[in-house]
Amino acid sequence: MRPPGWSGKNLAVIMFDYAAEIRRRFGNVRRARGCWLYTEKNVRLLDMFLDGGAAILGRRRGSSKLALKNMIDRGLTGSLPSGMERNLSGAVSSLFGAAGKASWFCSRKRVVAACSGAGIKVREWFPWIPSGMEDSSAPGSGESLITSVPFPWGAAPEFSGVIVFFPDCASGSVPAEAADNFIPETSDSLEVLPDARKGDSVPPQMLSAFARAFFDLRRRIPLFSDGDFAGVFSPRENSPWIRRGAYLFLRQDTDISKDRYYRFFCDCLDRGILISPSMEKPSVIPLMCADSPQEKLSIKTSMGKIPDFVTA
């Protein structure tokens, strides 16, 4: 059994058409709540992909949609100056506990190209990874952090895009030597890459929703420890994953082919579990999406159905 098709081949993330796999088995998704997807064939799926991290807080929760609605009601849906860039930087600075500037990019590829051209180092950051691990630490000297926007809006493979946090750049500037060396490049699609200091263009109502989502994330992070995630799921010896906090990354010491991973993905989906359709993106233990002890137990029970990984 081979993947019927791959998407995002010109981007940093490659994934197969998981929407088609869901539709073929269970019909379309009629509604979603937290980490659960409810399909036309009355099947409930556990979502461990969460739109590549965009739905890390769970669907239909938090105050982001209210912030989005308020901006629309005020008529701020065009390109008028609204100050939302400042709100977003304040929210992300609050999350990391450091002063700085946040910019939105539509893809990781554009981040890397724009920041490398400006001499800025970037590092991926994930919430709910224990302190001391590289991906969970605060920004270091001379580097910026990139993380998924925790608001489920947009399409695969980048969904809601990504935020880059430039520490100690409250004015939106970058070091003078970096700015002097910055030369805009072009991407594969011949679009001009953004200035690393400004990011890509995004409507102000979305910036408002993004800012509120980061405030929600900051309040949610202290509620769960590494032990909480370990108590829900620990990869078995023959698992393709290693767990780091809330995330299940593919083992780097095991040769896993795309065909084999696709079969594993389908095995999980047949059991009602949507894992990451990309070998580059981790799956998530979606404990942070639960609202009650009963729901946490349901997540643990569903994850107990994850099949063994067959290497042959």
Side-chain angles (χ1 to χ4, degrees):
M1 181 167 54
R2 292 179 176 272
W6 297 81
S7 61
K9 291 185 177 180
N10 295 321
L11 300 172
V13 178
I14 300 176
M15 63 181 65
F16 41 82
D17 193 350
Y18 66 95
E21 298 291 345
I22 293 175
R23 189 181 299 112
R24 183 166 63 85
R25 290 167 172 79
F26 313 113
N28 293 313
V29 176
R30 297 174 54 210
R31 61 187 180 91
R33 181 186 63 80
C35 58
W36 304 100
L37 308 177
Y38 299 86
T39 69
E40 290 175 332
K41 295 185 178 179
N42 295 322
V43 175
R44 186 178 74 165
L45 304 177
L46 176 65
D47 186 2
M48 294 177 57
F49 179 48
L50 297 173
D51 284 1
I56 194 72
L57 296 175
R59 292 178 170 84
R60 293 168 53 192
R61 71 176 309 153
S63 52
S64 299
K65 60 183 180 182
L66 178 60
L68 176 61
K69 177 181 180 298
N70 287 342
M71 288 289 288
I72 294 175
D73 288 344
R74 290 161 57 189
L76 297 177
T77 57
S79 58
L80 296 174
S82 62
M84 288 300 108
E85 296 86 357
R86 183 173 61 252
N87 287 14
L88 178 62
S89 291
V92 179
S93 295
S94 176
L95 173 66
F96 291 122
K101 167 75 165 56
S103 297
W104 180 86
F105 290 78
C106 64
S107 72
R108 282 166 173 77
K109 181 177 181 180
R110 288 170 70 80
V111 170
V112 172
C115 289
S116 63
I120 302 172
K121 298 179 181 179
V122 294
R123 172 167 56 85
E124 187 96 18
W125 178 87
F126 298 88
W128 290 296
I129 286 184
S131 60
M133 291 188 178
E134 180 182 359
D135 300 297
S136 66
S137 59
S141 176
E143 68 177 357
S144 299
L145 298 182
I146 175 175
T147 190
S148 297
V149 177
F151 183 71
W153 170 82
E158 293 288 358
F159 298 96
S160 299
V162 293
I163 289 293
V164 180
F165 178 63
F166 303 100
D168 301 321
C169 294
S171 64
S173 63
V174 296
E177 61 273 16
D180 292 341
N181 294 330
F182 177 71
I183 302 176
E185 302 176 7
T186 57
S187 67
D188 291 342
S189 60
L190 301 181
E191 295 176 354
V192 176
L193 287 176
D195 186 329
R197 296 160 291 185
K198 297 180 180 179
D200 283 315
S201 176
V202 61
Q205 71 271 20
M206 299 311 305
L207 289 177
S208 179
F210 295 164
R212 193 67 64 87
F214 277 107
F215 279 125
D216 289 341
L217 178 61
R218 180 178 64 85
R219 289 190 291 266
R220 195 78 175 159
I221 285 179
L223 301 182
F224 301 92
S225 67
D226 184 63
D228 294 327
F229 297 107
V232 172
F233 181 79
S234 295
R236 295 185 289 271
E237 184 177 351
N238 62 345
S239 173
W241 292 315
I242 58 171
R243 186 186 66 83
R244 299 174 64 190
Y247 300 87
L248 300 172
F249 294 87
L250 283 185
R251 293 182 179 276
Q252 298 299 309
D253 57 352
T254 304
D255 185 16
I256 302 175
S257 69
K258 293 178 180 178
D259 289 349
R260 179 54 247 162
Y261 186 75
Y262 171 70
R263 291 195 293 270
F264 179 62
F265 170 87
C266 291
D267 288 346
C268 290
L269 192 57
D270 288 337
R271 299 172 188 236
I273 305 162
L274 174 63
I275 65 171
S276 173
S278 168
M279 298 178 68
E280 289 81 15
K281 282 185 173 291
S283 296
V284 182
I285 301 174
L287 189 62
M288 68 291 291
C289 301
D291 291 322
S292 66
Q294 292 79 9
E295 190 171 9
K296 294 177 183 178
L297 180 59
S298 294
I299 293 173
K300 182 176 182 178
T301 300
S302 294
M303 293 191 68
K305 301 176 183 177
I306 293 176
D308 291 336
F309 183 79
V310 180
T311 57

